[in-house]
Amino acid sequence: MSIFTNKSEKLFIFFFFAIGLVIPLFLADNVFYINKISSMIIIAIFVMSLDYLVGRSGLITLGHAMFYGIGGYIFTIIAPEYETVNFWIYTFYVMSISAFVALIVGFIVLRTSGIYMIMITLALSQMCFYYFADSVDYGGFDGLFIYIKPETSIFGFNFLDLNNESHFYYLCLLSLFNCFVFFKVLMKSSFGRVIDALKENPERATALGYNIFHFRLIAYVIASSLAAYAGYLFALQYGFVNPSMMSWEVSATALVMALLGGLGSIYGAILGAFAYEGLHYVLEHVTQYWMFFMGCLIILMVLTLKNGLSGLLSNLVGDKENE
Amino acid sequence: MNNKNKSCLTTIPVFIATFLIAFSTSVLAENKPEPIKVGVMLPFSGVYAGLGDSIRNGLKLALQEKGYKASGRLIQLVEVDTEAKPARASELTLGLVDNDKSDFVIGPVHSGVAMGMINTIRNKDSIMIIPNAGANAATGAFCQPNVFRTSFSSWQTAYPMGKEAANMGYKKIVTLSWNYGFGKESLAAFEESFVAAGGEVVKKILVPFPKTEFQPYLTQIASIKPDAVFVFFAGGGAVKFVKDYDTMGLKGKIPLLGSGFLTEGTTAAQGKAAEGLLTTLHYADTIDSSKNKKFRADYKAKFNKSADLFAVQGYDAGQLIIQAVEAVKGNIEDKAALIYQMELLEIDSPRGKFRFSKAHNPIQSIYLRKVVNGLNTVVKESVTNLEDPARGCKL
Amino acid sequence: MDTYFFLVQLLNGVQYGLLLFLIASGLTLIFGVMGILNLAHGSMYMIGAYLAYYFTALTDSFAIAVIISSLIALVIGLLIERFLISHLYKRDHLDQVLLTVGLIFIFNAVQSFVWGNDPLGVEVPSALSGSIQLTELLEYSDYRLFISLICICVAVAMYYIINRTKLGMLIRAGESDRAMVENLGVDISKLFTIVFAIGVVLAALAGIISAPIVSLVPGMGEHVLISCFVVVVIGGLGSIKGAFVAALLVGIVDTFASVLIPEISSMSIYLLMSLILLIKPQGLFKS
């Protein structure tokens, strides 16, 4: 059974990761671009987790950045300051603590739905933002630093050095790939099919005996802990965390990226994140008033593309039915 | 042809065009090795954009006086917008250092961005010049050999006011600022000298940043009835606070003292409400020197608005670069020698001449100023050549 | 806490709440009728304030500035609805939200381009520059009271229009059953145009009349947007009455939290919203 939904997805994933694998060879002398692409990949992971939540589960949130920030802060807080720790062990810690937080938060926010859920997630993430911004111990508005990056050995075999930009890039790329495959497999599983059914027709799913709340809670926890993983990678990349990671603008921007990419398509998250970040990068180097052109392009895309960039790609390739 | 395909036709060229622009700019940037590259990392959008503009104007004025040349080498600026977002600080810094190969990076305005920048640049060859951000740590616990500052430390701008307040005979004072690093550091510095001079801070109020609903706090102050109030606010918040203080009727009844940012670049928007306010800062509009007069006249002529402190700090960042390059006769590739020369320089600033401390922060005089007709006029020099204690710096 | 202190703080809270109502009313109106979460609402507030600044400087009269600026806002609202939003009615609501995000970018750029980035201020009109002595130390400016009066007038006017006029009847019907309104032969797109334009004008009006008491800075729209969300959600989306009650509640809670529990005052309104949503998941006054 193939994990791909249609031809355009297959083509895109193939080309994206094929180019992704070799691109550092061409950029070897330019650390900046490797770093830039790494950070775009991290954002793509974050957006992908949001896309699953919004596009597949129908749970719209404006507080997803809370977990992005929490992921970074958890590592910075629990890792000893002047000691090298293991990346994989701390990945486990970061994701399980965030999952636990998501479980509690999800328990509260999933009692509401629609616009009210958007607002209550917003409220909680704003509270979290102010908790860290007002804190004395966690650096307040100036944030915290990570002085020593973790090592990545498994059973004593060390193959990635996180201080090396290319190595870090490959870690990000691998993470994105795993994340994509994970979501596609999840979608094909019986759990994923129930989630899809819940979005289409909650009443019928309930009538069939599924507990909507439990399924949604699990989806929420999964998406949130992956967002935390993305935040953890972000913190490691430049070695610092800041409350602005959880500002509502970050959540809103991620939602914009997911929409640009085409909601619910999962791979569209990569398209959306790269298109948005790419445009931002280009425009801000061309003019001080980059916001004007950014705004115009966003509006143009909304008006002309029905299913975002992945829909556009699908038309170009000539998929018969987008699913 | 159906609708779907039409939409493809309009969208694709837009993408191709934008990426072509990106490509051509990055290719063009790589061809000339000789000029000295100066990265400029300031906020040009968002709340701090006004400060970014002033600093850039000042910088351009300084470079233009020398025809954008030092020791025969051309000086080229590369500008990026930080949007005052700390989360982007590292990425943008790396862009200027690794991609644009900047020899100097000037920035930023915002302390949170500054910490992110320093964290990134400390292992690099480029020299960072801070034209505003006053976080004590930047030339304190976090000081670096390749980081200089042409502005101030928060401590410097607020410490002298404590003594002045005590001299004015105030015993009980309420302090107030936004609840963020710069504000808290300013209040702490004020309290340090005020308490040492025998005063008492009866209440310290921290307002969530960036909230500008000040009425509840002003009502609270009125019920405490202190001898005076000391505040730190800047930019839009300073405008709102000073206006509110006036409309709530407190002005003239409880004296308002401030760190100089309260009335810096904001007096036009504050109008009458700012008249007569006393603040301390390392610059005043009416400093009586030919250097300052010429600077202000040139600035006014070129940009059609009055110079403020931020313009001065940008101007001095420009002067610092030119003098540094000339001191090593254009041979800036030897960074250790360049840094050594920079440490010895004396900058002839509109604020008065200054040198750098061991921690690379200006040793500068602080003025007591009073707002008269929208101008920050000198009352007196409060402290001559004040040096930041640079707590925790090992340089 | 003595009585005087309490009363003055209550006045502060009510006054802030009334202003919040004026800003939020347009947002809740647009959402209630059209189902669109207009994220560019804060930008219209900002544009209103800057227009007031511009025309006050140009004409030397704040009153004229208020009129011209409101008219411009009306035109902007009509244009946005006709040329942009009306194309998206058959699409997902999230697409409409995305469009309004694009508008935020554009308005921010226009503001920076036209008016620059330095903080600006508008003088209080001379007829209202006096003040009332409240306590030995505190005064209350006439202009602030005037703003409160305007807010109350707007609230009353909206209440009247919605409950007593044909337009109001359609708005109420549009909130509860859109299909039915269309079946009655009403041109729903015209209704949407009118409602959207009114919403935009309300946001701009809030910006215009608060211009003399705030500082005009880039990004000022985004700050008020979040507070507006809170008000609208607590009140129950689409409910004008709810927005009014919620705005007062938020204003008062925020004011007292600032001085009584400063440690958590930054979170106070979010705590309030979370608590209310947990007890009443649809807000206070969901029809």
Side-chain angles (χ1 to χ4, degrees), chain A residues 29-33 35-36 39 129-130 133-136 140-142 145-147 165 234 238-240 242 244-245 249 274-275 277-286 288 290-291 297 300-301 304-305 309 312 315-316, chain B residues 4-5 7-8 10-12 14-15 18-19 21-22 26 30 44-45 53 56 79-81 83 85-92 94-95 98-101 111-112 115-116 119 122 124 135 142 179-181 184 208-210:
Chain A
D29 56 342
N30 199 325
V31 187
F32 169 71
Y33 280 117
N35 268 318
K36 178 73 192 167
S39 60
F129 170 84
Y130 279 111
D134 291 350
S135 67
V136 179
F141 267 97
D142 292 345
F145 294 97
I146 297 164
Y147 295 100
E165 284 83 0
F234 174 88
Y238 295 122
F240 92 121
N242 189 280
S244 66
M245 283 169 80
E249 282 99 339
F274 274 72
E277 283 292 303
L279 277 177
H280 186 177
Y281 176 73
V282 170
L283 291 175
E284 76 180 354
H285 281 78
V286 175
Q288 182 183 334
W290 59 271
M291 281 189 167
L297 281 171
L300 185 74
M301 282 192 259
T304 54
L305 305 176
L309 292 168
L312 173 74
N315 286 339
L316 284 178
Chain B
K4 281 177 182 172
N5 284 349
S7 68
C8 306
T10 49
T11 319
I12 293 166
V14 174
F15 272 104
T18 41
F19 281 102
I21 296 169
S26 59
E30 273 161 31
F44 298 121
S45 60
D53 285 346
R56 180 173 54 177
E79 296 170 3
V80 290
D81 181 4
E83 303 171 60
K85 286 182 181 161
R88 301 199 65 213
S90 301
E91 180 198 320
L92 293 174
L94 280 182
D98 289 337
N99 193 32
D100 298 314
K101 311 272 183 247
S111 288
M115 299 318 275
N119 190 37
R122 63 197 165 118
K124 302 279 180 182
F142 222 61
N179 188 11
Y180 66 176
K184 286 194 279 193
F209 177 76

Side-chain angles (χ1 to χ4, degrees), chain A residues 95-107:
Chain A
M95 289 186 70
S96 32
I97 297 176
S98 332
F100 182 69
V101 176
L103 196 68
I104 298 169
V105 172
F107 201 78

Side-chain angles (χ1 to χ4, degrees), chain A residues 11-31:
Chain A
L11 274 173
F12 175 78
I13 292 298
F14 178 77
F15 278 110
F16 180 84
F17 284 101
I19 295 171
L21 274 176
V22 295
I23 204 126
L25 303 177
F26 299 100
L27 295 172
D29 56 342
N30 199 325
V31 187

